[in-house]
Structure formats: C-alpha cells, structure tokens
Amino acid sequence: MEKIIIIGSGPAGYTAAIYAARANMNPLLMDGGLPTGPGDLGAGGQLMITTEVENYPGFKEGITGPGLMDEMRAQSLRFGTRIVEDRVTRADLSRRPFQLWVNEDRYEAQVIIICTGANAKWLGIPSEAALMNRGVSACATCDGSLPIFRNQPLLVVGGGDTAMEEALYLTRHASKVTIVHRRDQLRASRIMQQRAMDHPKIEFAWNSVIQEIHDVSLGRVSGATLRDVKTGETRLVEASGVFLAIGHSPNSEIFKGQLEMDEVGYLVTHRDVRTSRYAVFAAGDVQDRVYRQAVTAAGTGCMAALEAIRLIESEGANIMEAGTEW
Ligand code: NDP
C-alpha cells in the first residue's frame, strides 16, 4: 500500500509531491500520460498550452508554461517522487486502503490527493486548433499581456463572468475588445455585466458565434468570421487575438457518485482541501472554479500535502474507515 497517491501533474500535483516527498512520504504521482487533444492535455495540464507565464512569482523575466512544468517535475523527482506516466482509469473510494486502477494495474493508497485540473472548453473548429498559442488562447490572465496583443483589437468569446473578467483585463493592453456572445443576454453576474458594458473599450457582438478564425495560412490571428445565429448573416472582423471563455470542464469523471461535486463537476471541498470522503484531498483547478491560477493551484497542492502528512502521522498503524467524519 502507498501512503500517498497524487493524481495529476499540474502545479497542484507537483507541489503536493514536493511537500510529501520532503516529508519522507515517498509519494507516487500519476501524471496523466500523453495528451489526446485540446480537451485532454495529459501530463502538465493547462500550463502545457500556455506560452509565457509572467505572473508566477520567482521568474522575473517570465517562463514558458511547459518550462515551468518541467521545473516542477524535476523538483518533485529530486526529492524522490515516483511518477507513473499514465492516467488513472478507475477509482474505488468506498473503503481504505483506496484502490486506483491504471488500465489493468491496481494501486492501493492510504491517502489520495486529487489534482486532476479542469480543461478549458474549446469551440472545436479546425482554425482554432491550428492557431492555438498563435493568437488563440483560453486564458487572458496568462497570455493577454503578450506583445502580439498590445494595442490591437481582440475578441473574447462567452457571456459568463470569465468572459467579462477576461475582457476587462484585456482592455489594459488592447485597442478594443469585442465580446462575442451567442445570445442577446449575458450569463455573467450583474456587476460584471455592468463593468463590461460601461467600459469604453468594450463592444458586444450579440447573437454571434465564430465560424472561422483567420488566418491559418499566415500562422497568426488576423480576424474572424462571425455568424449571426438569428439571421445567418456572416461578417468579417479584424482581431489579433481570440480568447475563449466558454467555461471549463473539471476532470472529475472517475469520481462521479463517490465524491460530492457541484452541478458542473467541480469537487466540493471544505476546510479548503478536504473532499466529502475522509482521507481524500483535492487541490488545484478540479476544486477551484474561481481563481484557476498556477500559483493558487500550487498553494492548495501544498495545503493538501500538509494535511495528508498530518493525517498519516496521526493515524499511525490505526487506519480509520473511509466513512469517518472529518
Ligand atoms: P459559464 O458557464 O458561467 O459561462 C460560459 C459562457 O460561455 C456562457 O455565456 C455560454 O453561453 C458560453 N458558451 C458555452 N459554450 C459555448 C459555445 N460552444 N460557443 C459559444 N459560447 C459558449 O462559465 P464561466 O467560466 O464564465 O464561469 C464559471 C463559474 O465561475 C461561474 O459560476 C462564474 O460565476 C464563476 N466565476 C466567477 C468569477 C468572479 O466572481 N470574479 C470570475 C470567473 C468565473 P450561454 O450563456 O448561452 O450558455
């Protein structure tokens, strides 16, 4: 039986591994394996599709997303973390030790830390995939201040709080931000709607969807064809960037029916990192629908590891039932 299995290899997972390994817990980390597409990024998670990370403290000149994940992985290995380069396919959290499967291989753990993240949703059109990281992004806070977007017109897709927040953030750098929304009413909270509507640099393209992003042949974003969903009319708009803000999907599928989650699938945590099941912790984006930053994920990864270490030390050889209250 493993003391601690960490599922996931984003900032939360690696940070949990660094803390657990330094506390001699000999953690095993399942890294998610190879990516299978934009909705399934595999090892490293969302940071693997982030170009420059300029807001992670400690890197004053910034660092690439994949570079940051390489550093974290190397740091976790340095203290003895063992890494399984594959994804967990099934979990049984009904009794302890908990059981996890990677295809046919079964693992047992006294404590589990879930750091499986949340993937940004994408439109699913070919030009979007072709121009990803070349002007197409799903994170304005990560990419918005890059030079290619400075003083340029930009598009934000979505009508929720994230879209409003990202559009407002982008106004610091852009010449103009157009929010493209598929309906004529926003889903965002009233205060965020008002802020966006009042902003002189923000415009709205109502009842509109992106049909195509240009220009794949140039290898950069030069604009998009918008389609009015009511009239079917199309029009070309100029833009140097397209920011998707159409929601995230937390990677919690394998825990359905076993852990409390909200209507979207985010794991519900109390006391910051405790799930509804004793000795199962969650950290990072899989339990955070608000901040979703590398630094906040790392922070909760640290908290989950410290809590896990405390739990293991307090249990000693006396392993409590999975249904224990906490
Ligand atoms: P939401 O699910 O709230 O909004 C997603 C938006 O994207 C909706 O307007 C939806 O349109 C649109 N959309 C979804 N799929 C498509 C598609 N395929 N094509 C075009 N448009 C699409 O996600 P958010 O990320 O905005 O917010 C998630 C949660 O996080 C919310 O509870 C939000 O309040 C919270 N949040 C809070 C913040 C804060 O308080 N500062 C900041 C950010 C998020 P439609 O409306 O038609 O369904």
Side-chain angles (χ1 to χ4, degrees), residues 133-322:
N133 280 344
R134 292 165 173 200
V136 174
S137 164
C139 180
T141 348
C142 320
D143 299 332
S145 62
L146 293 178
I148 53 166
F149 302 127
R150 294 234 170 98
N151 297 317
Q152 300 293 320
L154 303 174
L155 303 179
V156 171
V157 186
D161 279 328
T162 304
M164 301 308 115
E165 202 168 71
E166 304 238 310
L168 287 161
Y169 179 82
L170 290 171
T171 57
R172 299 176 198 184
H173 312 288
S175 58
K176 181 177 93 170
V177 179
T178 304
I179 297 176
V180 180
H181 184 38
R182 63 184 177 183
R183 294 188 292 139
D184 60 2
Q185 273 186 350
L186 297 170
R187 179 179 294 278
S189 55
R190 196 144 296 269
I191 183 161
M192 295 298 283
Q193 291 193 22
Q194 206 56 52
R195 273 188 209 154
M197 285 178 175
D198 290 346
H199 200 288
K201 277 194 190 174
I202 295 181
E203 286 178 8
F204 287 84
W206 300 107
N207 300 313
S208 297
V209 292
I210 290 190
Q211 186 164 296
E212 200 180 345
I213 303 171
H214 308 287
D215 187 331
V216 175
S217 66
L218 294 177
R220 66 175 172 82
V221 172
S222 63
T225 301
L226 304 189
R227 182 169 51 82
D228 186 309
V229 292
K230 292 215 158 138
T231 64
E233 276 170 25
T234 58
R235 68 186 170 106
L236 189 64
V237 292
E238 206 187 308
S240 296
V242 175
F243 290 83
L244 283 312
I246 59 172
H248 284 74
S249 309
N251 298 313
S252 59
E253 195 66 28
I254 57 170
F255 307 109
K256 265 204 179 121
Q258 304 193 70
L259 295 176
E260 194 188 336
M261 36 186 95
D262 70 11
E263 69 290 351
V264 186
Y266 284 95
L267 295 181
V268 172
T269 49
H270 58 109
R271 298 269 306 268
D272 299 317
V273 288
R274 296 179 178 190
T275 68
S276 55
R277 175 121 310 224
Y278 179 75
V280 179
F281 297 92
D285 289 10
V286 72
Q287 54 91 53
D288 171 15
R289 59 189 292 169
V290 179
Y291 303 107
R292 293 193 293 254
Q293 300 298 300
V295 68
T296 50
T300 50
C302 159
M303 288 153 77
L306 292 178
E307 291 288 326
I309 295 160
R310 250 176 235 158
L311 186 147
I312 289 166
E313 284 174 347
S314 71
E315 280 192 327
N318 179 27
I319 294 184
M320 312 284 276
E321 302 266 324

Side-chain angles (χ1 to χ4, degrees), residues 32-50:
L34 294 171
T36 59
D40 178 7
L41 299 167
Q46 290 290 301
L47 266 297
M48 302 307 278
I49 53 158
T50 304

